[in-house]
Amino acid sequence: MFKPNRKVLVSLGVILSLLLIVTGCGGQSGTAGQTGTTETKEPIKIGFLGAKTGNTAIYGLGNLKGIKFAVDELNQKGGILGHQVQLIEDDDVGAKDQAINITNKFITQDKVNAIIGDPLTGLTRVAGQIANSKNTVIMSAGCTGPNVVEIGPYVFRDTLLDSVAAPATMKYIIQEKGWKKIAMIISKNSDYSVGVSAVFKQAIEANGGSVIDEEYIQDGDTDFSAQVTKIKAANPDVIVFGGYYTEAALIMKKVREVGMKDIAMVGGDGLQSEDLVKIGGSAVDGVISFAGFSPEQPTPTTQKFMDAFKAKNNELPDLFAANGYDAMMIIAKAMTDANSADPVKFKDTLAQTKNYEGVSGTITFKANHEVIKSPVYLLQVKDGKFELLKKVPVALN
Amino acid sequence: MKDLMQQLINGLALGSIYALIALGYTMVYGIISLINFAYGEIYMFGAFTGLILAATYKTNVVVALLGGMMLSLVLGVLIERVAYKPLRRSSRLSALISTIGVSIFLSTLMVLLKGPNTQGFPKLFENKVYAIGNFQITIYQIVIIGVAAFLMLALHLFVTYTRTGRAMRATAQDQDAAGLMGVNIDRIIATTFAIGSSLAGAAGVLAGIYFNAVQPYMGTMAGLKAFAAAVLGGIGSIPGAMLGGLMIGLLEVLSVTVNLSEYKDAFAFGILILVLLVKPSGIMGQKINKKV
Amino acid sequence: MRNIKNNWLVQVIGFVLVLIMTGLTAQGLSRIMPPYYLQIGFFIGINVIMALGLNLIAGATGQLSLGHSAFMSIGAYASAIATVTLHLPFPVGILLGGLAACLFGIVIGFPTLRLSGDYLAIATLGFAEIVRVIFTNMQITGGAIGFLGIKNLTTFPVIMILTVAMIAVMMWLENSRNGRAMLAVREDEIAAESVGVNITWYKIQAFAIGSFCAGVGGALFAHTTTFIQPTDFGFMKSIEFLNMVVLGGLGSIPGTIIGSVVLTTAPEFLRFMANYRMLVYGLLLIIMMIFRPHGLLGGFNFRQAISRALFLGRRIRQGAKV
């Protein structure tokens, strides 16, 4: 009955093919920061927490690209305080138990000086609890939800918060554009979308607009024909979608297909990605989003970053890459200013960061070390490019 | 009312895609009673093959579709060889776990190869919109419904009228008896995997064209819903799979029409459970009396 | 000798003593173990409890359930509501979490357990999806944003005591009249019914106890992570538990424990492989099933092996072959 030859052959084949794949597509991975400089000083260790595989890997990998880019840049300039920077990457697959294990590993086994991640609000809350209780700085380069920095003095983030930008955007489209009848689309299984949509809704009411149709989708959906058919029947002035670029592009394709030729979509910085245009093509022309920086009138810092990033990665950085880069650089600056890589010391310097000109916008930490990015830019897609529509200053308090 | 007609067409197009994947589930299940969880990933690989052919090699839609089907076919046979055949004599649960392993392997492999981002599908032909009376139908929708209907019809004829088709039905009824009658069981199972997989591949390319989005994890939910569709229609029955697929597609679209879109997925599975409770073998499934 | 062993009072006292010892050992361990390993211990405990519940349903009674994570989520949310919204103490929260899941197990069990085999599997899968969608849209659970403000109340001794208690109960159940009836249902429903076993009753019983375990596991999970979202309890989570049970050996309690330990620690061991980790995980599942289709301990009777080693083999009845 037992035929060892067959089974051995099969599994050998499987292992061989795995080896081929591993060697075949290797090269792009590998830990950054261990570039062969013979440094006698102990390196400064930064842990990257985020998903590299699984459904949420887009955000994690985006972050990671930006962080790696920053680490390479730092190391070329001689590191931080003369120490090389070593990046330790671990994949949490977007799962809480994994994120908890990794955070503990970073702090107690690897003895990292700071953690960057997770791009998801939920995982940042979970990892933030642990990092804060063990006096390690954690900075999320993607989370926008509430109850994050309140966890404690070691928890930071560098993202543009919806609570400021979303009302400014709604004010603009209702009062300046005169679009009062609004159709909203909310991605029900995305905490980002539900969160930002609530802010949008409040702002619409405050500015005298009205939500005449509300449709629900889910992240990962691809068929929006039913929702778009209903929106067409409701005949709104504008579509407000708090969500990410993938779904936005697909919705807009459908919107144009059913004959709503001129209607615009307005959303948050989740829409800001080269992929919006890549997937949506000409259908996304007219899409408006808010953002922390303008690709049209970039500051020299942003422009330099975008060019260098494009030269290295053969693509423009997305929002997560830019935020990841800034997170690494702000931490590096705080360490340098504090003249210490000890989180207990540099966290206070970090909290006092004011008007830091990052590549994703100008970053200031308020008294409660919550992040504020000012000014907010309103951008509109025109012929496949994001163009500046308006610059809205934000009060820094 | 005008809205409803439009939604029915939307649902029909979506349902056709589910139906194509469901056919693969139903055929494989009918013969070896195995839920192949790697099916969604075969669908995903089909979609990516179509994408690569169309984007990198600039082929036309027919080549992309056939290419997607071919690769899925090879993949399906390979899965059968590696992950199912050595397990044919073990418990069904072991085989199930093995296909779950394949599913995890394939989706991770695709993330490593192409990245996790959703990729747009290149325009293979111009999309036109036809207005018929009050509603409109796009060329994409016509093509998808048409191709799906053609493939399903071809499959039905194949299973009903060819020698291999007869052998498949015989194997489904009683594997041992069919074997004694001279049916090459190994070959029939491999053929079933091959046909089912190529249909999933076709569904993948069609979905890529229609939704304009291809992503490494697109197979998971589509696979689950297609499996639900197969069970709903009566697993093992080819017309049942078509009916189930169309029903799930229509139901999803209608749940949006009645303002309950946030419960879209719950509806699909809710109706499945209800149907199973009333008729445990599915709408068109045959009741199998247990032998003592 | 035999009388003393069979006396229920002696058994109960022994059980309590074991629990106390477990608690004390865990307390000691949590002081000396590095936090990283201790944390993995938390998840091993939770997963053992979850997997034991599923083992009773799928392994002992033979009812394939693909919705185990739904019961976990019910337990997690119920306990979170109990401790956060209603300010009840943690042990009550755990109990309520278990009971809520148990209740749903029974409610769902009555109609769906008429279905057999793969039909039941798809029905439970559908149920799990429905539960997830409902939690995503409910107000009290925080919807997609998640349930905030859960306190970190789970401690290592609590997890270990509950794990050991669950193992003991499962072992006791396996050898009880009920456990044998469940085995009979798995082996042959019609034969079992014809000798007077009420198969629906035993199926419901297995479902209720299994769901209770899942609810307790969910409560512990919620109070470990301190924050839960519907996405934490997706389809893949159910599959993970099924993998643990099948990998260890379907129907075998020691097998289930080993399967849970292996699969909970596997991601940590495979961490050095970085991006290829999930690839290898998928492959391991396939290779395992090819070489040991009945699981690591499938077909291996633990009790029998031990008793044989102690020269008591003849007195122990041979358990059913898995």
Side-chain angles (χ1 to χ4, degrees):
Chain A
M1 190 59 225
F2 185 64
K3 286 191 209 157
N5 306 2
R6 168 73 56 86
K7 289 184 177 179
V8 169
L9 271 179
V10 167
S11 55
L12 268 183
V14 172
I15 291 168
L16 249 172
S17 56
L18 172 78
L19 278 178
L20 277 176
I21 291 156
V22 170
T23 46
C25 51
Q28 49 182 346
S29 73
T31 43
Q34 293 168 329
T35 35
T37 42
T38 45
E39 186 63 60
T40 44
K41 273 181 169 175
E42 203 175 296
I44 287 177
K45 289 180 184 166
I46 304 290
F48 162 74
L49 175 71
K52 298 206 282 184
T53 52
N55 280 326
T56 53
I58 308 172
Y59 319 126
L61 287 176
N63 264 182
L64 189 59
K65 274 183 201 155
I67 299 169
K68 272 187 177 168
F69 193 76
V71 169
D72 286 348
E73 194 181 312
L74 285 169
N75 282 340
Q76 269 166 20
K77 287 182 189 161
I80 306 171
L81 301 169
H83 297 265
Q84 286 285 299
V85 183
Q86 186 192 345
L87 186 65
I88 304 168
E89 317 163 11
D90 269 321
D91 179 9
D92 64 20
V93 214
K96 297 210 169 70
D97 46 354
Q98 296 281 312
I100 290 178
N101 284 346
I102 292 170
T103 311
N104 271 306
K105 170 179 165 280
F106 277 161
I107 298 171
T108 59
Q109 303 294 117
D110 301 327
K111 310 231 182 300
V112 298
N113 301 74
I115 299 170
I116 301 177
D118 187 295
L120 307 176
T121 306
L123 295 193
T124 305
R125 281 190 195 123
V126 169
Q129 295 269 4
I130 298 168
N132 193 63
S133 69
K134 300 213 163 88
N135 298 348
T136 303
V137 165
I138 181 166
M139 180 175 284
S140 170
C143 85
T144 54
N147 296 56
V148 173
V149 297
E150 288 84 345
I151 291 169
Y154 289 90
V155 185
F156 292 85
R157 55 175 157 187
D158 71 344
T159 32
L160 175 61
L161 296 186
D162 311 323
S163 50
V164 178
T169 313
M170 287 302 108
K171 193 174 170 194
Y172 173 78
I173 66 154
I174 294 169
Q175 298 191 347
E176 290 188 36
K177 288 275 185 184
W179 294 331
K180 290 206 166 71
K181 289 190 294 170
I182 292 165
M184 280 197 82
I185 303 178
I186 302 169
S187 176
K188 268 289 197 174
N189 66 344
S190 149
D191 50 357
Y192 165 66
S193 180
V194 175
V196 69
S197 297
V199 186
F200 273 140
K201 222 185 212 168
Q202 233 174 9
I204 290 171
E205 276 159 26
N207 286 293
S210 63
V211 179
I212 57 167
D213 187 28
E214 194 172 311
E215 296 296 330
Y216 302 120
I217 61 159
Q218 297 197 20
D219 276 11
D221 276 1
T222 41
D223 182 34
F224 303 105
S225 47
Q227 287 91 340
V228 170
T229 304
K230 277 189 69 195
I231 289 177
K232 192 188 178 194
N235 194 25
D237 297 330
V238 65
I239 299 170
V240 170
F241 172 56
Y244 285 114
Y245 50 83
T246 311
E247 285 76 23
L250 298 177
I251 292 171
M252 284 314 284
K253 285 205 86 143
K254 202 74 207 175
V255 164
R256 300 295 185 233
E257 196 182 295
V258 301
M260 290 188 272
K261 296 284 179 221
D262 300 317
I263 197 165
M265 171 186 274
V266 178
D269 50 357
L271 301 188
Q272 222 204 352
S273 163
E274 220 182 352
D275 279 356
L276 179 79
V277 180
K278 258 195 213 157
I279 301 171
S282 60
V284 297
D285 258 13
V287 169
I288 298 174
S289 79
F290 60 73
F293 72 99
S294 153
E296 200 186 60
Q297 293 180 3
T299 58
T301 332
T302 308
Q303 185 62 53
K304 217 177 102 199
F305 169 68
M306 288 201 305
D307 292 345
F309 190 94
K310 174 120 194 180
K312 188 180 173 202
N313 295 310
N314 206 18
E315 62 181 359
L316 281 174
D318 68 356
L319 185 72
F320 288 92
N323 279 334
Y325 177 87
D326 275 346
M328 183 65 243
M329 285 309 195
I330 296 179
I331 290 174
K333 184 172 181 292
M335 285 177 176
T336 314
D337 291 351
N339 199 21
S340 164
D342 179 7
V344 180
K345 291 185 183 134
F346 81 81
K347 70 143 196 314
D348 298 322
T349 327
L350 186 57
Q352 279 154 18
T353 305
K354 293 262 177 304
N355 290 320
Y356 173 84
E357 203 182 284
V359 298
S360 66
T362 309
I363 296 163
T364 298
F365 291 115
K366 294 196 287 186
N368 61 352
H369 69 284
E370 179 67 285
V371 67
I372 280 277
K373 278 183 162 176
S374 174
V376 173
Y377 295 87
L378 292 185
L379 309 173
Q380 184 163 35
V381 180
K382 214 172 194 181
D383 301 324
K385 271 196 188 129
F386 281 97
E387 291 189 358
L388 182 64
L389 207 60
K390 195 177 170 86
K391 205 164 159 181
V392 188
V394 177
L396 292 177
N397 47 34
Chain B
M1 197 54 216
K2 161 192 164 198
D3 224 26
L4 189 66
M5 238 358 248
Q6 185 63 51
Q7 297 289 28
L8 286 181
I9 289 185
N10 297 339
L12 215 57
L14 181 65
S16 303
I17 289 171
Y18 287 145
L20 273 182
I21 317 174
L23 282 176
Y25 273 111
T26 228
M27 285 173 67
V28 170
Y29 190 91
I31 288 193
I32 53 176
S33 303
L34 166 77
I35 307 175
N36 184 355
F37 268 108
Y39 237 91
E41 275 60 41
I42 296 177
Y43 158 82
M44 179 267 292
F45 262 77
F48 267 97
T49 313
L51 172 75
I52 292 166
L53 283 175
T56 316
Y57 299 101
K58 312 274 181 236
T59 59
N60 63 22
V61 59
V62 180
V63 178
L65 188 66
L66 290 179
M69 288 175 77
M70 278 311 291
L71 185 107
S72 298
L73 185 147
V74 173
L75 193 65
V77 174
L78 210 68
I79 291 173
E80 198 263 344
R81 269 290 142 78
V82 175
Y84 175 67
K85 209 172 175 194
L87 283 162
R88 199 176 301 163
R89 300 271 164 223
S90 354
S91 84
R92 279 169 35 206
L93 214 53
S94 317
L96 186 83
I97 300 277
S98 169
T99 65
I100 290 170
V102 175
S103 160
I104 295 174
F105 178 82
L106 288 179
S107 52
T108 315
L109 180 65
M110 196 44 98
V111 173
L112 291 177
L113 291 176
K114 300 291 282 183
N117 298 39
T118 303
Q119 314 211 356
F121 215 83
K123 219 174 219 173
L124 288 170
F125 50 92
E126 203 55 44
N127 193 13
K128 277 204 197 104
V129 182
Y130 293 102
I132 308 167
N134 273 332
F135 57 90
Q136 47 186 357
I137 184 163
T138 66
I139 291 231
Y140 283 1
Q141 287 173 327
I142 296 173
V143 166
I144 279 154
I145 298 171
V147 172
F150 169 76
L151 287 175
M152 286 186 240
L153 189 71
L155 178 70
H156 186 71
L157 294 177
F158 178 81
V159 172
T160 322
Y161 293 109
T162 63
R163 260 183 88 83
T164 317
R166 203 181 315 144
M168 275 179 180
R169 282 180 290 137
T171 313
Q173 275 185 10
D174 191 328
Q175 215 176 86
D176 295 333
L180 290 172
M181 297 298 146
V183 173
N184 184 343
I185 303 289
D186 281 359
R187 211 179 53 105
I188 289 301
I189 292 179
T191 312
T192 311
F193 261 85
I195 295 176
S197 305
S198 63
L199 289 177
V205 180
L206 290 178
I209 296 173
Y210 182 48
F211 302 139
N212 185 41
V214 178
Q215 198 247 95
Y217 294 100
M218 66 192 278
T220 318
M221 204 52 189
L224 285 185
K225 281 187 187 156
F227 178 51
V231 177
L232 182 64
I235 203 152
S237 149
I238 289 175
M242 298 183 212
L243 184 73
L246 291 179
M247 274 181 70
I248 298 254
L250 286 173
L251 201 75
E252 274 191 20
V253 166
L254 289 180
S255 72
V256 179
T257 315
V258 296
N259 275 334
L260 284 169
S261 55
E262 64 265 48
Y263 293 102
K264 194 178 74 179
D265 291 343
F267 268 112
F269 288 107
I271 203 88
L272 170 77
I273 293 178
L274 278 182
V275 169
L276 284 183
L277 292 181
V278 179
K279 196 166 181 302
S281 49
I283 296 172
M284 299 181 92
Q286 284 161 343
K287 187 162 166 44
I288 301 154
N289 285 315
K290 257 184 250 170
K291 282 165 260 177
V292 182
Chain C
M1 184 64 195
R2 201 185 173 124
N3 283 341
I4 295 173
K5 218 182 138 194
N6 284 346
N7 187 322
W8 66 269
L9 193 66
V10 174
Q11 283 186 1
V12 168
I13 292 173
F15 182 60
V16 171
L17 276 178
V18 167
L19 290 191
I20 292 173
M21 271 166 61
T22 311
L24 289 175
T25 317
Q27 183 67 38
L29 278 176
S30 64
R31 277 168 207 272
I32 55 168
M33 255 163 63
Y36 170 53
Y37 297 104
L38 191 68
Q39 193 70 59
I40 297 171
F42 273 60
F43 290 113
I44 288 178
I46 293 173
N47 286 343
V48 166
I49 293 174
M50 295 292 307
L52 281 176
L54 185 61
N55 181 51
L56 188 71
I57 299 172
T61 322
Q63 307 299 307
L64 179 56
S65 163
L66 294 179
H68 210 53
S69 66
F71 296 110
M72 184 183 189
S73 68
I74 292 171
Y77 276 111
S79 71
I81 291 170
T83 60
V84 178
T85 317
L86 305 174
H87 305 291
L88 294 170
F90 184 43
V92 181
I94 297 180
L95 192 67
L96 280 180
L99 287 178
C102 175
L103 187 74
F104 270 88
I106 295 169
V107 170
I108 296 307
F110 261 111
T112 50
L113 286 176
R114 282 177 43 209
L115 305 168
S116 60
D118 300 319
Y119 292 101
L120 177 70
I122 186 75
T124 49
L125 190 162
F127 164 70
E129 283 299 308
I130 293 172
V131 168
R132 198 171 54 82
V133 171
I134 290 175
F135 277 141
T136 308
N137 290 295
M138 257 167 80
Q139 286 293 325
I140 192 166
T141 58
I145 293 183
F147 199 111
L148 285 163
I150 307 170
K151 289 206 177 60
N152 188 359
L153 296 172
T154 313
T155 59
F156 195 57
V158 168
I159 288 210
M160 282 303 123
I161 288 173
L162 284 174
T163 308
V164 170
M166 220 54 104
I167 294 171
V169 169
M170 286 292 166
M171 286 173 92
W172 168 79
L173 194 65
E174 189 185 42
N175 262 29
S176 72
R177 185 190 160 82
N178 289 14
R180 290 187 214 287
M182 287 173 188
L183 279 182
V185 172
R186 177 187 74 188
E187 293 300 321
D188 193 330
E189 285 191 19
I190 295 174
E193 202 165 19
S194 64
V195 293
V197 175
N198 182 346
I199 56 169
T200 313
W201 166 242
Y202 285 107
K203 280 188 194 173
I204 296 273
Q205 209 174 47
F207 235 74
I209 301 172
S211 315
F212 182 83
C213 289
V216 171
L220 293 174
F221 180 83
H223 290 83
T224 304
T225 59
T226 67
F227 172 62
I228 46 173
Q229 284 168 301
T231 43
D232 297 338
F233 310 100
F235 169 64
M236 282 316 288
K237 196 90 183 169
S238 296
I239 293 296
E240 258 175 51
F241 297 125
L242 190 66
N243 286 344
M244 289 173 192
V245 174
V246 177
L247 192 75
L250 200 62
S252 152
I253 292 173
T256 302
I257 298 169
I258 290 178
S260 318
V261 174
V262 168
L263 285 190
T264 314
T265 48
E268 307 300 324
F269 283 126
L270 296 176
R271 224 167 257 303
F272 71 95
M273 297 197 190
N275 297 2
Y276 306 106
R277 193 161 62 102
M278 289 309 281
L279 214 60
V280 174
Y281 178 82
L283 271 185
L284 279 182
L285 283 182
I286 304 170
I287 293 172
M288 263 300 303
M289 286 302 114
I290 293 175
F291 286 103
R292 289 211 57 94
H294 299 293
L296 288 169
L297 292 186
F300 173 79
N301 192 319
F302 205 63
R303 215 172 262 272
Q304 199 181 357
I306 289 178
S307 50
R308 209 169 262 160
L310 297 172
F311 300 102
L312 289 166
R314 268 162 295 161
R315 277 178 49 193
I316 308 281
R317 273 182 50 188
Q318 189 178 334
K321 200 164 178 282
V322 181

